[in-house]
Amino acid sequence: MPRFFVTERPENGRITLRGQNAHHAGRVLRLRPGERVTLCDGAGEDYDCVVETVEKDAVACRVTAIHPSETEPKQRLTLFMALPKGDKMELIVQKAVELGVRDIVPFLSKNCVSRPDKTAQKVARWQRIAEEAASQCGRGWLPRVQPVIPAGEAITRAAQSETALFFYENETQTGLRAALSRGVGSTVALVIGPEGGFAPEEAAAAKQAGLTSVSLGRRILRCETAPIAALAAVLYAGGNM
Ligand code: SAM
């Protein structure tokens, strides 16, 4: 069923799609009166609707039911991702949103090759990618790509999550299965390094801050593979699959 994120609240039992949403509904999907759509407030609430009228810049929808979105993971997932080279972050953002991440926090660590000066534009582009991915996969929440922060701040913020996982390529003692054997907290932070990996002092700071250093196995995954594998495993362990 077609799904649109809207900022409008229902008025007299109706919501009218305008702008891009109206164009997509009327011109691209060619929706007709009587067809069903789901509108979503981007904050966990869904409006089941029936299209009433279709005009060039306005598609009026009658709300038939309001209920919590049913597509969100049980846990609130935050991905802290060290800035990778090139446009890999676009793939990482898209896949992380499909896998249910609520927040994506890019950070600059010692071994990040990419040190963009205009990070605001990049974050804005990543946010657009996140919103497209959220629409495509039917998310109930509009995920947020946050501003780029230093590694130290990322570690401090990740430590605030009930389950805080530091994915360290040199970790040899604790696998993800063991780390999650005590259950998955309601908030989960996943911290992933760049192509060059984490510096020993970053790993030490993470452990000092209370993050659990975990291994994803004996193979070294690319920085764009690691978050996908880690998120899938956490979703599974958290009873979402
Ligand atoms: N330069 C590092 C090396 O050669 O050992 C590899 C870094 S890896 C490309 C990028 C990030 O993915 C790592 O910093 C880590 O966060 C995560 N990662 C990749 N493979 C991993 C593994 N087997 N266990 C834990 N984390 C892993």
Side-chain angles (χ1 to χ4, degrees), residues 87 90 93 119-130 132 145:
D87 58 2
E90 299 185 6
V93 165
T119 55
Q121 281 95 318
K122 284 188 174 287
V123 168
R125 173 162 175 68
W126 297 332
Q127 183 62 41
R128 282 195 300 277
I129 289 169
E132 285 160 12
V145 181

Side-chain angles (χ1 to χ4, degrees), residues 81 111 166-171 191-198 214-227:
M81 184 70 214
N111 294 333
F166 182 81
F167 291 89
Y168 189 30
E169 58 278 13
N170 297 325
E171 172 59 42
V191 184
I192 306 272
E195 291 88 350
F198 283 115
V214 288
S215 168
L216 285 166
R218 295 187 186 283
R219 292 178 303 286
I220 295 297
L221 308 181
R222 290 178 186 273
C223 64
E224 60 270 35
T225 310

Side-chain angles (χ1 to χ4, degrees), residues 160-173:
Q160 291 163 17
S161 289
E162 277 182 56
T163 300
L165 304 169
F166 182 81
F167 291 89
Y168 189 30
E169 58 278 13
N170 297 325
E171 172 59 42
T172 55
Q173 301 305 310

Side-chain angles (χ1 to χ4, degrees), residues 72-80 95-105 139 143-144 146 161 163 165 180 184-190 227 230-236 238 240-241:
E72 290 299 301
K74 295 181 175 68
Q75 298 80 19
R76 178 169 180 157
L77 308 176
T78 303
L79 172 64
F80 292 84
K95 300 312 166 196
V97 168
E98 289 174 56
L99 288 164
V101 157
R102 178 81 73 79
D103 293 279
I104 297 170
V105 186
R139 289 289 302 272
R144 266 201 65 221
Q146 300 198 12
S161 289
T163 300
L165 304 169
L180 298 179
V184 182
S186 60
T187 55
V188 182
L190 301 93
L231 280 165
V234 167
L235 281 174
Y236 177 77
N240 296 284
M241 291 180 167

